Amino acid sequence: MRIAIIAYDHISPFMLSTPLAVFGEGLLAGGHQVQVCSDQFRLNTSGGMIIEAAHRLDAVDDADIVILPGWRSVDEPVSPDIVAKLKAADARGAIVVGLCLGAFGLAEAGLLDRRRATTHWAHAETFAARYPRVTVDAAALFVDEGRVLTSAGVASGLDCCLHLLGRICGIGEANRIARHLVVAPQRAGGQPQLIERPAIGSTADRRVTELLEVLRADPIAPPSLDELAKRSNMSRRSLTRHIRARTGGSLGEWIRRVRVARAKELLVAGVRGLDDVAVRSGFPDAHALRTAFRTEVGVTPVQWLAHQRVPGAALSLMSGKS
């Protein structure tokens, strides 16, 4: 597999490093190629550094995955040469990814017409006005439309790349890389871009963070909200407010996401039978597990597992259903 990351003059070093951090180590170790491609050998960056691209832009022509990590400005059209490479990649069936303002390049190439997409929330209105044939989801962290993916601003590029890594190499590898990067592996694309957080380092913030980490470690039978409020020395209303600020939703919604993440790990590990997976991940039964999967992932557990690189796992799971 070959992954081409398109670089350009005055690129953000963070945006360029995002796909490199996710895809570089694991895929290179497996004999795959991850190449930074540009129409210039030497590039200035927005952080004042100068970097050198090892591959010319034509190297994009043979890539299985093409990633455009951002763009300089919404007020500057994406380079016609880059747009042409994106169009050609789509035409030959490659996966094309636009991180943050890179979505503007994909839209300019016509790859997002009649599709959902996202970009940085601050530029979503401009994006929607400029490309009316695109269905803009300004709240999403990332949007997966099959062969075309887009992400919101900055850090959500990590979520998008980890999600794609899970598609091509399996959720186990994506979780391993996430742990290495010290980021949460279970953030779904539908989580909100904008989450109002309490003051960093505040006593209440630390208490809620510690509480959530305890629940993440054992999400099977969490105490009631009243019990958690008492344990945290906070009122129920205050705890609810802090949890929403920290997670973007209710405690129940967060627990569901954690349980789905646990279920994914069990499925990939080869646990047989949906009822067994459900109970071990905190759901009362297989029906509840399927409902949560459809809500969080958009497919059933069997359908999700069929897309992971675990030979025979979906058939094994189906044969083990009770």
Side-chain angles (χ1 to χ4, degrees):
M1 177 180 295
R2 292 185 63 250
I3 297 179
I5 303 168
I6 298 177
Y8 46 87
D9 205 32
H10 295 290
I11 191 171
S12 158
F14 184 92
M15 293 304 302
L16 178 59
S17 68
T18 295
L20 288 172
V22 173
F23 297 111
E25 177 214 343
L27 291 186
L28 287 173
H32 304 284
Q33 293 181 318
V34 180
Q35 300 175 332
V36 176
C37 309
S38 177
D39 58 0
Q40 298 176 235
F41 172 67
R42 182 164 294 179
L43 303 168
N44 296 300
T45 75
S46 60
M49 297 185 296
I50 296 176
I51 61 174
E52 295 178 353
H55 303 275
R56 301 297 291 174
L57 194 58
D58 287 344
V60 172
D61 294 342
D62 300 320
D64 303 291
I65 298 174
V66 178
I67 302 174
L68 178 58
W71 184 243
R72 290 186 287 259
S73 169
V74 296
D75 299 321
E76 179 184 353
V78 176
S79 161
D81 290 339
I82 292 178
V83 171
K85 294 299 182 184
L86 297 175
K87 285 182 178 180
D90 179 69
R92 68 173 181 272
I95 293 173
V96 184
V97 184
L99 303 180
C100 195
L101 298 187
F104 281 75
L106 272 62
E108 190 64 29
L111 309 190
L112 301 179
D113 288 355
R114 297 180 298 279
R115 283 174 162 154
R116 285 179 62 242
T118 192
T119 189
H120 193 290
W121 63 267
H123 303 291
E125 288 188 9
T126 301
F127 189 64
R130 189 174 299 173
Y131 304 106
R133 301 185 70 184
V134 181
T135 301
V136 181
D137 187 346
L141 287 178
F142 62 86
V143 174
D144 181 347
E145 286 284 289
R147 287 196 297 106
V148 180
L149 294 87
T150 52
S151 84
V154 194
S156 57
L158 280 171
D159 298 295
C160 183
C161 289
L162 285 168
H163 169 78
L164 180 56
L165 182 64
R167 273 182 46 182
I168 62 179
C169 293
I171 191 67
E173 177 65 6
N175 284 348
R176 185 186 72 82
I177 295 298
R179 286 193 296 271
H180 180 73
L181 297 174
V182 197
V183 296
Q186 83 281 356
R187 290 219 304 178
Q191 288 183 246
Q193 287 192 37
L194 294 174
I195 299 178
E196 179 187 354
R197 296 187 181 275
I200 296 176
S202 70
T203 302
D205 187 31
R206 287 197 299 272
R207 287 203 299 265
V208 171
T209 298
E210 291 167 1
L211 179 150
L212 292 177
E213 288 307 310
V214 170
L215 295 179
R216 190 196 304 276
D218 184 15
I220 293 179
S224 69
L225 193 57
D226 288 329
E227 291 176 292
L228 292 173
K230 184 177 180 180
R231 182 186 302 178
S232 303
N233 195 28
M234 300 170 68
S235 69
R236 177 188 174 105
R237 181 177 179 180
S238 179
L239 177 60
T240 299
R241 178 171 55 83
H242 277 276
I243 288 175
R244 185 169 295 278
R246 169 83 24 208
T247 69
S250 68
L251 177 63
E253 292 168 338
W254 183 84
I255 288 289
R256 182 179 65 211
R257 291 198 296 266
V258 172
R259 286 174 172 170
V260 166
R262 174 72 60 87
K264 287 179 177 179
E265 293 176 353
L266 293 171
L267 292 171
V268 170
V271 176
R272 296 173 62 118
L274 283 181
D275 280 315
D276 190 21
V277 173
V279 171
R280 291 174 62 175
S281 54
F283 295 101
D285 52 38
H287 175 72
L289 174 63
R290 292 190 194 96
T291 300
F293 253 76
R294 288 193 184 97
T295 299
E296 294 296 329
V297 188
V299 296
T300 67
V302 172
Q303 290 169 333
W304 176 84
L305 189 58
H307 285 85
Q308 308 307 305
R309 299 208 168 193
V310 186
L315 291 177
S316 174
L317 177 64
M318 293 176 69
S319 65
K321 287 193 297 184
S322 58

